[in-house]
């Protein structure tokens, strides 16, 4: 029986394994997925997780529940040696080991791209995983509780300072959702005023949302500024030490919450630890049929899709165009890859991946959004409804669709759930301290310290 190894259980990896599981005959092949997380994260829901509009568990899809006939390994592939048909797996627990394969599918996904900016590693948090989205929400809510007990001034404004770096979809949607959450929370905090909020969106380019045209992008900037936000275009983050933000346009201010959403980088295993062909960006060279390699030099029995694959965009009128790294492509590439793998196993013809964009839609906060399909632009509440409708259809499995819809319908009647559970990040504190109040300079109780 042939061994199919899938590196990564994100969008493309999950949909590839899901499709194979449905199509393979018993005994035809054994499918193995290696991923350190036991779930696939539906990333378009992360901004709404950060705003509390989607429950964190509903934004992820259990691999074991939906890939019941697939072997799952909790670990990370750290090296690919196609010459030997082996990969090195570093499990979550235990020593690294080698795993052999007959067919390899690389869907490792991208990682957050960072830069050596002073204070960034110590102060910032990403928005790529559900744990980060939950932490962002809890930090903002905890900051409101703390700020309400302080007099107006720099410390209160720092606590209520939020900075998003990156004007792509992830950054703009997260920023808009958190701004909507903060504005709504003011109704429950009479001690605070809208002037206490300090929301900044920083983008190095001269515009935000590069996937939409200039007009809608400029409208989004004006819309956010009317809601009290500060949008810094053609601006870079120079420093974030101790929460003091310094921007290249000369702006300086304090911000307790800094979210880094400034793009993706190639996964290290693809960029640095493989003998497979990569391009100048460190992405795998992929043919239109999703095989790794070029038309003249294909790599036998190796396939790739998703954010770490450079896939020709056959639907683009631009010669040499590559598909953009987004969920729309990753999901559909995973489905096509599963069909091509089965066809190839059975000696049938494989098909090229081709997908014309369905348009782009972004949430800008509760009841606010923007949609564009070619020359058609829809703004405001209708676009927000389209955003929710599209994503509830796109999230895998009816079980997840029903859960998300139930939360949305409940919130429509009862309103937002404004409860912070930041303490769950340190669950032993109450036990270790015995309920004793900790002074400002004492910090968190150390694990294992005597009470």
């Amino acid at each position: 029986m042939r061994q199919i190894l899938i590196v990564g259980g994100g969008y493309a990896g999950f949909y590839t394994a899901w499709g194979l599981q449905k199509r393979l005959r018993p005994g035809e092949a054994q499918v193995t997925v290696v991923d350190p997380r036991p779930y696939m994260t539906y990333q378009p829901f992360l901004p709404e997780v950060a705003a509390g509009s989607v429950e964190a568990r509903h934004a992820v899809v259990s691999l074991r529940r939906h890939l019941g006939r697939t072997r799952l390994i909790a670990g990370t592939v750290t090296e690919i040696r196609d010459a030997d048909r082996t990969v090195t797996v570093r499990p979550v627990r235990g020593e690294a080991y080698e795993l052999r394969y007959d067919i390899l599918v690389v869907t490792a996904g991208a990682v957050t791209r960072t830069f050596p900016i002073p204070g960034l590693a110590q102060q910032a948090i990403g928005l790529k995983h559900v744990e980060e989205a939950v932490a962002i929400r809890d930090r903002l809510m905890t900051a409101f509780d703390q700020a309400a007990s302080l007099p107006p001034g720099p410390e209160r404004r720092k606590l209520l300072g939020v900075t998003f770096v990156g004007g792509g979809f992830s950054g703009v949607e997260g920023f808009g959702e958190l701004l909507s959450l903060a504005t709504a929370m003011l109704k429950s905090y009479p001690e605070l005023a809208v002037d206490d909020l300090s929301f900044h969106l920083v983008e190095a380019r001269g515009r935000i949302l590069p996937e939409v045209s200039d007009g809608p992008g400029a409208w989004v900037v004006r819309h956010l500024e009317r809601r009290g936000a500060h949008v810094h275009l053609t601006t870079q983050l120079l420093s974030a030490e101790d929460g003091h933000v310094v921007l290249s346009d000369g702006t300086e201010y304090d911000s307790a919450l800094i979210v880094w959403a400034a793009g993706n980088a190639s996964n290290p295993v693809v960029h640095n630890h493989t003998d497979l062909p990569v391009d100048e960006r460190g992405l795998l060279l992929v043919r239109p049929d999703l095989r790794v390699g070029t038309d003249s030099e294909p790599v036998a029995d190796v396939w790739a899709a998703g954010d770490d694959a450079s896939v020709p965009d056959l639907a683009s009128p631009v010669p040499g165009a590559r598909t953009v790294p987004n969920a729309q492509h990753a999901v559909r590439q995973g489905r096509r890859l599963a069909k091509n793998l089965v066809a190839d196993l059975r000696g049938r013809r494989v098909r090229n991946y081709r997908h014309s964009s369905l348009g782009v839609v972004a949430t800008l906060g509760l009841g606010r959004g923007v949609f564009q399909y070619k020359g058609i632009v829809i703004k405001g509440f209708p676009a927000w409804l389209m955003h929710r409708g599209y994503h509830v259809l796109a999230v895998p499995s009816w079980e997840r669709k029903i859960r998300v819809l139930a939360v949305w319908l409940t919130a429509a009647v009862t309103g937002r759930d404004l409860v912070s559970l930041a303490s769950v990040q340190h669950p032993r504190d109450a036990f270790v301290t015995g309920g004793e109040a900790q002074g400002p300079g004492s910090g968190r109780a150390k694990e294992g310290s005597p009470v």
Side-chain angles (χ1 to χ4, degrees):
M1 186 163 56
R2 305 200 74 183
Q3 299 295 317
I4 301 175
L5 176 62
I6 300 177
V7 179
Y11 286 124
F14 173 82
Y15 276 94
T16 300
W18 208 19
L20 289 173
Q21 184 172 268
K22 296 174 182 178
R23 292 175 173 82
L24 288 173
R25 304 184 186 114
E28 191 170 13
Q30 170 66 57
V31 180
T32 301
V33 174
V34 181
D35 195 282
R37 289 180 169 83
Y39 51 78
M40 183 273 282
T41 302
Y42 190 72
Q43 292 184 353
F45 277 159
L46 294 187
E48 294 198 68
V49 171
S53 299
V54 173
E55 288 291 333
R57 287 176 298 172
H58 300 169
V60 299
V61 179
S62 169
L63 298 183
R64 291 201 174 271
R65 176 166 184 168
H66 297 284
L67 301 180
R69 296 193 301 276
T70 300
R71 180 189 178 198
L72 300 174
I73 297 177
T76 302
V77 171
T78 58
E79 186 177 5
I80 298 172
R81 297 178 300 281
D82 188 57
D84 302 327
R85 294 295 174 99
T86 62
V87 300
T88 299
V89 177
R90 186 178 65 228
V92 174
R93 299 288 296 269
E95 299 294 325
Y97 60 91
E98 290 188 353
L99 191 64
R100 296 193 62 81
Y101 61 83
D102 298 307
I103 299 172
L104 179 67
V105 178
V106 184
T107 53
V111 297
T112 301
R113 178 184 62 185
T114 58
F115 299 98
I117 298 172
L120 181 66
Q122 294 75 29
Q123 300 293 325
I125 185 171
L127 186 54
K128 196 171 181 63
H129 302 290
V130 69
E131 300 91 343
E132 294 172 326
V134 171
I136 289 169
R137 178 176 185 263
D138 287 342
R139 286 188 187 185
L140 180 65
M141 290 187 168
T142 300
F144 263 74
D145 287 330
Q146 295 172 350
S149 64
L150 294 174
E155 188 62 26
R156 174 190 280 190
R157 194 163 179 81
K158 178 178 181 179
L159 281 169
L160 300 181
V162 177
T163 301
F164 272 69
V165 183
F169 263 87
S170 178
V172 171
E173 288 191 316
F175 184 78
E177 285 287 348
L178 223 61
L179 178 60
S180 177
L181 172 62
T183 304
M185 288 179 65
L186 287 174
K187 299 175 184 178
S188 301
Y189 289 84
E191 306 92 337
L192 304 176
V194 67
D195 291 340
D196 291 318
L197 300 180
S198 177
F199 272 69
H200 296 259
L201 176 63
V202 182
E203 170 53 46
R205 292 166 293 189
R207 52 162 301 176
I208 61 174
L209 296 178
E211 292 87 352
V212 305
S213 57
D214 290 345
W219 175 84
V220 172
V221 171
R222 295 194 301 271
H223 172 79
L224 293 173
E225 289 177 338
R226 283 197 301 269
R227 292 163 58 187
H230 306 276
V231 181
H232 306 266
L233 299 178
T234 321
T235 304
Q236 296 177 329
L237 175 67
L238 300 182
S239 176
E241 291 185 294
D242 297 323
H244 182 70
V245 174
V246 180
L247 305 179
S248 62
D249 64 358
T251 304
E252 294 190 32
Y253 59 92
D254 291 328
S255 179
L257 179 57
I258 301 172
V259 181
W260 182 265
N264 297 325
S266 175
N267 193 292
V269 69
V270 170
H271 192 278
N272 302 319
H273 305 292
T274 180
D275 56 357
L276 297 171
V278 298
D279 66 8
E280 66 280 357
R281 298 173 296 168
L283 303 177
L284 287 169
L285 286 172
V286 177
R287 301 176 357 152
D289 60 4
L290 303 178
R291 299 178 193 265
V292 170
T294 62
D295 291 337
S296 59
E297 296 183 23
V299 180
D301 296 321
V302 182
W303 309 71
D307 291 353
D308 57 11
S310 180
V311 181
D313 190 352
L314 301 183
S316 173
V318 180
R322 301 279 162 166
T323 58
V324 296
N326 61 22
Q328 198 174 126
H329 282 298
V331 168
R332 287 165 177 80
Q333 286 171 8
R335 290 172 175 163
R336 169 48 53 195
L337 205 161
K339 294 176 183 177
N340 281 357
L341 268 172
V342 173
D344 190 59
L345 280 170
R346 298 172 184 170
R348 299 174 183 170
R349 184 170 67 92
V350 300
R351 298 180 181 274
N352 289 339
Y353 171 75
R354 182 187 181 93
H355 171 65
S356 298
S357 174
L358 301 174
V360 291
V361 61
T363 174
L364 303 173
L366 195 63
R368 305 173 176 93
V370 61
F371 167 83
Q372 181 175 15
Y373 175 69
K374 297 182 179 180
I376 301 173
V377 178
I378 300 174
K379 305 169 184 173
F381 186 73
W384 176 78
L385 284 178
M386 295 172 69
H387 176 273
R388 287 207 158 180
Y390 171 78
H391 285 300
V392 79
L393 290 174
V395 67
S397 82
W398 280 103
E399 171 254 340
R400 276 298 179 261
K401 299 179 198 295
I402 292 170
R403 289 181 186 274
V404 171
L405 271 175
V407 171
W408 282 344
L409 292 174
T410 302
V413 176
T414 63
R416 293 177 183 267
D417 188 354
L418 303 180
V419 177
S420 169
L421 296 176
S423 59
V424 302
Q425 298 174 39
H426 310 296
R428 294 188 65 246
D429 279 4
F431 173 75
V432 172
T433 62
E436 291 287 346
Q438 300 295 296
S442 63
R444 202 164 55 85
K446 294 181 180 180
E447 295 289 312
S449 58
V451 178

